[in-house]
Amino acid sequence: MTVTHREDLPNRQVKLTIAIDTASWHQALADAYRENHAYYPVEGYAPGTAPRDALEAAYAPDILYQEAVNLTFPTALVEALSQQQLEIAGTPTLSVAEIGPDGYSFAALVDLYPEVTLGQYKGLSAPFEQVELSNDDVEAALQEYCRAHVVQTEVDRAAMGDEVTLDFEGFVDGEAFEGGKGESFPLVLGSGMFIPGFEEQVAGIRVGEERDVHVTFPQAYVPELAGKDAVFKVKAHKITRHALPELNDAFAREQGFEDLSALRRQVMETAIHAKQNQAMDAFTQNLLDQVMANMTVTVPESMVESQLQGLMEELERTVMSQGMQLKDYLEAAQLTMEQLRAHARANAEMAARYELAMMEIVRLEGITVTEEEVQAKYEELSSMYGMSLQQIRQQLPPSRLSHDIKLLRARAVVVDSAKRI
């Protein structure tokens, strides 16, 4: 990798032209062939057996170029930014400038971190709530513990509050519509996940039973369905009833405690710890709000967009972990993607301002992170999540981890120097 040209532009932008050397390019083409040749059938060869020259002759000499570019430019970009000592804000805009059999070059337009002027960030003060547990807090914590240890039994007929595993398909005017079909979907009756009237009509269904559910989509829904009548054909496969356990010594022993008193003490300790964390979080957020309120900065649009994209990806991962697709979540929330992004934009702007403030503290305080500290953090994360060091590194590159550690240490400068009032 070589930076062949650097152009400093107005508004704290830099354009780099980065060239990939011949040896790296040839290796990338070989890797692209190895990873992708099975996807390209070539007449006269069994699937996945065509040599590279035959594949390129059958399709085009540049058939592997795009994959090879994808394999090389991320590392090349990181190396170029490090070589030029650039702290970038947001995702760069990339474009291939020249490409051929012996290499390629690409242009990267990057927004630099903007100039930041901080006010006071050390010696601030904020309220810190005195933490106590009331009887209501204790009872609420015990009920929460019970809800986390519900007794599940399968029943033949569904009532409100039961979880029904069902298939469904929706029809408007006799025609199935996109997004209206699901299989083996776990629906808790009364959760409000489906449109009004749906869950109430599923109540009473028996295992194996099929029935039609008649509903009307709300006016505030996706335009193609808003206000329309629909029929969902539903079939129940399993019905699970969740009942809270009885709080007694027998239940406590099942959970590994000596008796109910021991369980109660543990629940109280957990509850007080949670309230202490809430108090610290509120104290910290108050301090950070002060730092950001006293900061002067113009946040680059690319940085906001990068933060927004991160928030959207995090939401999608959360939704998928709950067995849903993002489009299902949007339908349940009666939101369009544009509305969701608009709602999340304020959080993205705040996240960008937070990062800029903390990185300015990093600069002012001379905060650094050594390779040994990064490695120690990798080992901690590996143990915490049960993943190999290689897996952690793939998901969280060293440069990103080092950056995150710096942000945490900058925040500690603010919090540790503050006064509780």
Side-chain angles (χ1 to χ4, degrees), residues 8-20:
D8 292 282
L9 303 171
N11 301 319
R12 295 187 61 78
Q13 286 189 317
V14 172
K15 184 178 182 180
L16 299 178
T17 303
I18 303 163
I20 305 301

Side-chain angles (χ1 to χ4, degrees), residues 158-162 189-191 199-204 241:
M160 296 301 288
D162 291 344
L189 303 184
S191 64
E199 295 167 24
E200 290 80 2
Q201 293 180 60
V202 173
R241 183 157 296 164

Side-chain angles (χ1 to χ4, degrees), residues 146-147 149-153 240-246 251 254:
C146 288
R147 283 192 290 272
H149 297 82
V150 295
V151 179
Q152 298 185 8
T153 55
T240 305
R241 183 157 296 164
H242 303 268
L244 294 179
E246 185 178 349
F251 170 69
E254 288 177 2

Side-chain angles (χ1 to χ4, degrees), residues 57-70:
Y59 289 89
D62 61 356
I63 184 66
L64 299 171
Y65 281 12
Q66 185 60 61
E67 291 297 333
V69 167
N70 292 340

Side-chain angles (χ1 to χ4, degrees), residues 36-182:
N36 296 278
H37 70 281
Y39 301 113
Y40 297 97
V42 177
E43 186 177 354
Y45 294 91
T49 65
R52 180 175 155 190
D53 57 351
L55 185 149
E56 291 175 338
Y59 289 89
D62 61 356
I63 184 66
L64 299 171
Y65 281 12
Q66 185 60 61
E67 291 297 333
V69 167
N70 292 340
L71 290 172
T72 50
F73 85 80
T75 300
L77 177 61
V78 171
E79 291 177 357
L81 295 175
S82 176
Q83 183 186 98
Q84 297 290 310
Q85 298 182 332
L86 298 179
E87 285 282 356
I88 68 169
T91 303
T93 300
L94 307 176
S95 59
V96 174
E98 296 180 1
I99 191 166
D102 293 324
Y104 77 97
S105 63
F106 67 96
L109 180 64
V110 300
D111 286 310
L112 301 182
Y113 262 58
E115 294 182 359
V116 177
T117 303
L118 288 180
Q120 181 182 357
Y121 64 89
K122 289 195 286 191
L124 300 171
S125 60
F128 195 101
E129 181 184 359
Q130 296 300 312
V131 176
E132 296 179 350
L133 275 186
S134 66
N135 289 334
D136 289 343
D137 290 333
V138 174
E139 290 306 314
L142 287 170
Q143 288 300 309
E144 183 64 28
Y145 187 90
C146 288
R147 283 192 290 272
H149 297 82
V150 295
V151 179
Q152 298 185 8
T153 55
E154 291 191 20
V155 296
D156 181 62
R157 189 172 186 181
M160 296 301 288
D162 291 344
E163 181 182 281
V164 182
T165 301
L166 49 77
D167 298 339
F168 62 87
E169 185 171 13
F171 299 83
V172 172
D173 296 329
E175 297 290 333
F177 56 87
E178 184 178 356
K181 184 176 182 179

Side-chain angles (χ1 to χ4, degrees), residues 153-421:
T153 55
E154 291 191 20
V155 296
D156 181 62
R157 189 172 186 181
M160 296 301 288
D162 291 344
E163 181 182 281
V164 182
T165 301
L166 49 77
D167 298 339
F168 62 87
E169 185 171 13
F171 299 83
V172 172
D173 296 329
E175 297 290 333
F177 56 87
E178 184 178 356
K181 184 176 182 179
E183 294 182 353
S184 298
F185 187 90
L187 173 63
V188 176
L189 303 184
S191 64
M193 284 191 64
F194 279 39
I195 59 178
F198 185 99
E199 295 167 24
E200 290 80 2
Q201 293 180 60
V202 173
I205 199 170
R206 294 184 182 276
V207 174
E209 180 184 345
E210 299 180 25
R211 65 169 57 173
D212 291 348
V213 173
H214 298 263
V215 295
T216 300
F217 284 100
Q219 292 295 336
Y221 208 73
V222 292
E224 58 269 23
L225 294 174
K228 292 186 178 180
D229 294 331
V231 177
F232 282 85
K233 294 188 177 298
V234 173
K235 181 177 181 179
H237 293 293
K238 184 173 73 171
I239 302 169
T240 305
R241 183 157 296 164
H242 303 268
L244 294 179
E246 185 178 349
L247 276 173
N248 52 33
D249 289 340
F251 170 69
R253 284 191 288 270
E254 288 177 2
Q255 304 305 312
F257 296 94
E258 182 179 350
D259 53 24
L260 181 58
S261 296
L263 184 153
R264 187 182 182 90
R265 285 194 298 273
Q266 179 62 54
V267 169
M268 290 175 65
E269 289 176 9
T270 302
I272 193 71
H273 184 66
K275 292 197 74 170
Q276 289 170 340
N277 286 341
Q278 291 171 2
M280 176 56 76
D281 289 345
F283 175 70
T284 299
Q285 190 59 54
N286 189 309
L287 297 171
L288 296 177
D289 288 344
Q290 292 181 55
V291 173
M292 289 184 284
N294 295 327
M295 174 178 67
T296 302
V297 65
T298 300
V299 182
E301 180 62 23
S302 63
M303 191 172 190
V304 176
E305 281 298 317
S306 180
Q307 292 285 351
L308 181 56
Q309 183 62 29
L311 291 175
M312 299 301 293
E313 290 172 357
E314 181 180 355
L315 172 62
E316 186 166 12
R317 286 192 296 270
T318 300
V319 169
M320 291 181 66
S321 71
Q322 297 172 353
M324 298 176 64
Q325 296 296 318
L326 185 58
K327 64 181 182 62
D328 300 324
Y329 171 84
L330 290 172
E331 289 177 3
Q334 300 181 23
L335 289 173
T336 65
M337 179 61 76
E338 291 72 21
Q339 289 171 328
L340 180 63
R341 288 177 63 86
H343 291 167
R345 187 174 180 81
N347 290 336
E349 291 175 351
M350 185 61 69
R353 288 180 63 82
Y354 165 77
E355 180 167 331
L356 289 170
M358 294 304 104
M359 286 307 294
E360 181 64 6
I361 293 174
V362 167
R363 187 186 70 82
L364 294 172
E365 297 290 323
I367 295 173
T368 59
V369 178
T370 66
E371 291 183 6
E372 292 76 14
E373 289 170 329
V374 170
Q375 181 60 26
K377 188 64 177 179
Y378 273 130
E379 292 172 358
E380 177 187 333
L381 293 172
S382 175
S383 176
M384 181 184 304
Y385 294 109
M387 299 171 64
S388 69
L389 290 174
Q390 183 179 3
Q391 289 174 317
I392 295 289
R393 280 179 172 271
Q394 288 175 343
Q395 295 189 17
L396 185 61
S399 59
R400 182 72 234 181
L401 180 56
S402 176
H403 180 80
D404 291 346
I405 294 172
K406 289 177 183 178
L407 294 182
L408 288 173
R409 291 182 177 175
R411 185 172 70 175
V413 169
V414 176
V415 176
D416 293 346
S417 66
K419 302 173 184 176
R420 301 182 181 186
I421 56 176

